Amino acid sequence: MKGVATILPLWVVLATAASPKPIPTKSFNASAGSTPLPNNDYSNEQLGFLWNQVGPIATHPVVTALVEPSPEPTNWPQPGEMHPLIPSLYGANITSLKLPKGFAWGLSASAYQIDGAAKDGGKGPSIWDLLSHRVPGFVVDNTNGDVLGQHYYLYKQDFARLKSFGTPWYSPSISWPRLFPFGKGPVNEEAVKHYDEYIQTMVKLGIKPAISLFHWDTPLALFNEYGAWSSPKIVDDYFNYAKWVISRYDKYVPVWFTINEPQYCNWQYANYPVGEYYPSHGFKKGVTNRFLCGHHTLLAHAKVAKWYHEEFKGKGKITFKNSGNYFEPVTNSPEDAAAVQRSYDFVLGWFGGPWTDGDYPQSLKDALGDILPKFTTKEKKLIKGSCDFYAIDAYTAFYVQALPDNGIERCATNRSHSGWPECTKSASISPDGFGIGPAADLGASWLKSTPIGIRRFLNAITKKLFPAVKEIMVSEFGYAEPFESEYTNLQDALWDLRRADYLQGFLDNILLAIHEDGVPVTGAFTWSIYDNFEWSSGARTRFGLQYLNYTSLERTPKASLFQLLDWYKRHSGEFIK
């Protein structure tokens, strides 16, 4: 009808309307990101996001605040007439030998393994908070470091006990993500107060600190942002953290260890679940990540050491703690001798640049090719001479032999070979087929008691591998008593006979290396102050010289602790008076 508007159906209106701009499509892969994700957000909300990435964190039902120490017993129950301490195997040959003046000795531990208080005091999560909570099977007994020893709250009692025993040194680590929850950015005020009191307490009691700045607890935020030790960005972030700590505490700390066991890049870091629980940033788990980690670790250490001596003019000594064990050739053949040297190259030579030319051994370069990062001339100069003394965490020994039928040569050029890139064969079995030494707990199946090995190892390091070394310290040695967690009676658990024998034998051989071989050993730290979270082996594998009740948190000295104290008394070790 003329003059009357026509009303169109809605579908006609929609169909004839202007088409909206099409929404683009894209293929997504959460593991494929290859660029850093810069973070300048240091808010409580962002910290909460990091902890949500980890999941729920346990707290102790009782110990949730700093505990003032109670008086320590003047007399502890200890081995007596029915079974005395372990005697020396060397008799009159060692009875009169004394330790050199100033020999540093004591117990050791690391932050994640005993501190507990995982989320308290503004601390940020570390990679190990993530691994122990989120990755199925990464820790065999599904334990974690959330609570464990609660050393964060009980350190005053722990130090009072060390004082009561007279141990003159203690070697802990500082938690990077506690001081810097995001790995960089602002420092955590509560953590500063904690470490101020922590170090002050040690010093007031006469305990000398030998501090590790890093013991594997990399801030999780740095994995999220750029891949942590796989990226060169880690060098400056670690440097800034280390510089802050050293600047504040150097006048109290005679010995700094920049890095604990950079060899962990092989048997731990290379197995991290890259791209599964945090962004990959283009990196992959395995051998490439292993050597990226090692490369940036060396550069981070060297940068700190150069600053410490040349700019800061530090008062103490600085180095890093190597992880390695003695290698004995199965035969006297040239092939087995070459296999031993190659084994050392891939363990100690990998991080031997401070004692050589600042570079990697040729054997690594030949085998790894483009997988092994290259140092510039300036970087080699930075690394060379960056350690004030050699520190070795030495626990055991192995027999080593060449692969059959010119196996080293064939293996070294074949990246698909099962033994590549080391291309040698090692075992804990003597040439006659008998075990190399008494076995430790099943959670430390690699560990056997081999006291002769430490003496030979100290000689090998200082006289063959790195003749430039003029001072060496055994920065860790220790033993996991077999089946210690199986005991239901505390008194049975305290009789850690194999550990006591291990300590006696190791210390005897360190002393013999000093006096009979002329090895300049200046200290030895025993692992550990008490039972702890033993990484992927969890809490069931116990290395402590004190038994830790994981529920009540009570610490009780084992026979091995009295063995240790007795040894140092017999050989004129210096005690706190």
Side-chain angles (χ1 to χ4, degrees):
M1 184 182 295
K2 189 176 181 179
V4 178
T6 303
I7 300 176
L8 300 175
L10 179 60
W11 67 269
V12 175
V13 174
L14 292 176
T16 57
S19 298
K21 186 178 180 179
I23 298 175
T25 63
K26 182 179 180 179
S27 176
F28 291 96
N29 183 343
S31 299
S34 59
T35 56
L37 300 170
N39 175 48
N40 296 311
D41 180 0
Y42 307 118
S43 65
N44 289 329
E45 290 75 17
Q46 185 69 11
L47 183 59
F49 173 81
L50 286 172
W51 278 112
N52 288 339
Q53 187 178 353
V54 171
I57 301 297
T59 58
H60 194 266
V62 177
V63 180
T64 57
L66 183 63
V67 176
E68 293 299 322
S70 57
E72 284 290 314
T74 54
N75 290 296
W76 283 97
Q78 54 187 288
E81 60 180 349
M82 291 295 179
H83 195 305
L85 296 172
I86 305 296
S88 174
L89 295 175
Y90 301 97
N93 293 331
I94 202 169
T95 302
S96 63
L97 299 183
K98 307 300 181 186
L99 288 165
K101 186 177 176 59
F103 188 88
W105 69 275
L107 301 175
S108 53
S110 86
Y112 185 78
Q113 291 178 274
I114 68 169
D115 273 8
K119 196 176 177 180
D120 297 354
K123 175 182 170 291
S126 75
I127 185 61
W128 266 97
D129 290 298
L130 180 76
L131 296 173
S132 60
H133 277 269
R134 294 293 307 280
V135 184
F138 207 88
V139 179
V140 295
D141 63 0
N142 296 315
T143 56
N144 55 59
D146 288 2
V147 175
L148 216 77
Q150 290 290 81
H151 179 65
Y152 178 79
Y153 292 127
L154 295 170
Y155 69 85
K156 289 188 176 183
Q157 191 72 60
D158 288 335
F159 294 160
R161 180 157 301 176
L162 294 181
K163 165 74 171 178
S164 74
F165 288 130
T167 53
W169 289 75
Y170 178 57
S171 185
S173 76
I174 285 179
S175 170
W176 183 358
R178 188 173 291 283
L179 275 169
F180 291 85
F182 299 93
K184 60 181 186 177
V187 66
N188 176 13
E189 291 179 354
E190 289 188 61
V192 174
K193 180 181 178 182
H194 166 73
Y195 281 116
D196 283 354
E197 294 181 0
Y198 186 89
I199 292 175
Q200 183 182 61
T201 301
M202 263 194 285
V203 173
K204 280 185 175 181
L205 292 174
I207 302 168
K208 297 175 184 177
I211 290 180
S212 294
L213 292 167
F214 172 71
H215 197 125
W216 309 345
D217 49 352
T218 309
L220 177 59
L222 301 185
F223 280 92
N224 288 343
E225 184 173 347
Y226 54 71
W229 295 99
S230 303
S231 166
K233 292 179 179 293
I234 194 76
V235 175
D236 284 343
D237 283 342
Y238 173 81
F239 173 73
N240 291 330
Y241 153 70
K243 186 168 71 169
W244 188 95
V245 176
I246 292 173
S247 298
R248 192 171 186 89
Y249 301 120
D250 186 62
K251 63 182 177 180
Y252 308 110
V253 179
V255 174
W256 293 104
F257 299 117
T258 53
I259 305 288
N260 176 78
E261 300 182 1
Q263 289 82 0
Y264 94 111
C265 291
N266 175 17
W267 31 261
Q268 187 184 116
Y269 187 91
N271 295 315
Y272 287 174
V274 180
E276 297 180 55
Y277 297 90
Y278 56 86
S280 71
H281 299 291
F283 303 115
K284 296 180 180 180
K285 64 188 290 186
V287 67
T288 301
N289 238 16
R290 164 184 171 180
F291 289 101
L292 285 172
C293 170
H295 194 76
H296 300 135
T297 298
L298 264 174
L299 290 173
H301 153 77
K303 184 171 183 177
V304 173
K306 179 179 175 65
W307 165 83
Y308 183 72
H309 285 307
E310 296 184 8
E311 183 178 336
F312 182 69
K313 308 296 184 184
K315 294 175 58 179
K317 294 182 178 181
I318 194 165
T319 189
F320 60 84
K321 295 166 62 178
N322 285 277
S323 172
N325 297 294
Y326 176 65
F327 296 134
E328 178 79 8
V330 171
T331 72
N332 293 325
S333 70
E335 291 79 11
D336 283 359
V340 166
Q341 181 60 52
R342 186 177 180 88
S343 296
Y344 280 133
D345 285 352
F346 274 85
V347 178
L348 300 183
W350 182 15
F351 296 98
W355 304 102
T356 58
D357 59 355
D359 203 358
Y360 296 119
Q362 190 62 42
S363 57
L364 270 70
K365 295 179 181 180
D366 292 342
L368 295 163
D370 58 357
I371 290 177
L372 185 68
K374 293 178 174 60
F375 291 121
T376 65
T377 300
K378 183 178 180 181
E379 288 170 339
K380 293 175 191 176
K381 185 177 179 181
L382 182 71
I383 292 167
K384 183 179 180 179
S386 61
C387 290
D388 293 333
F389 64 94
Y390 199 92
I392 182 66
D393 293 0
Y395 283 75
T396 191
F398 294 92
Y399 279 98
V400 172
Q401 63 185 136
L403 298 177
D405 302 323
N406 285 328
I408 289 180
E409 289 77 8
R410 289 189 293 106
C411 168
T413 57
N414 180 6
R415 294 185 180 184
S416 63
H417 193 287
S418 60
W420 186 85
E422 287 81 359
C423 299
T424 62
K425 182 180 179 181
S426 64
S428 298
I429 301 173
S430 301
D432 66 0
F434 206 77
I436 195 171
D441 188 77
L442 295 176
S445 59
W446 54 271
L447 177 55
K448 319 295 179 185
S449 180
T450 55
I452 298 294
I454 187 61
R455 180 178 178 181
R456 295 180 182 178
F457 195 24
L458 291 168
N459 275 276
I461 292 171
T462 57
K463 297 176 182 179
K464 182 180 180 182
L465 299 174
F466 307 113
V469 171
K470 304 305 178 187
E471 177 186 346
I472 188 168
M473 181 181 290
V474 181
S475 40
E476 277 184 33
F477 70 108
Y479 192 77
E481 186 75 10
F483 310 111
E484 202 167 69
S485 284
E486 302 299 321
Y487 289 114
T488 57
N489 183 315
L490 175 62
Q491 303 311 315
D492 293 337
L494 298 181
W495 254 117
D496 53 341
L497 197 59
R498 281 196 187 178
R499 183 183 289 114
D501 174 71
Y502 172 99
L503 296 181
Q504 179 71 34
F506 258 62
L507 289 167
D508 281 353
N509 276 276
I510 289 172
L511 192 60
L512 289 169
I514 294 170
H515 283 275
E516 296 190 1
D517 307 332
V519 180
V521 187
T522 58
F525 289 97
T526 307
W527 188 272
S528 173
I529 184 173
Y530 45 76
D531 299 323
N532 56 54
F533 175 79
E534 194 50 40
W535 307 113
S536 291
S537 296
R540 289 185 63 81
T541 299
R542 294 174 177 262
F543 272 85
L545 273 64
Q546 298 183 84
Y547 186 90
L548 176 61
N549 183 311
Y550 294 138
T551 302
S552 69
L553 302 182
E554 182 180 6
R555 295 95 150 103
T556 307
K558 302 175 187 177
S560 59
L561 179 56
F562 298 109
Q563 186 82 34
L564 182 84
L565 298 173
D566 179 75
W567 191 92
Y568 279 105
K569 289 173 184 175
R570 289 177 182 271
H571 298 287
S572 299
E574 297 176 6
F575 284 74
I576 299 173
K577 297 179 179 178

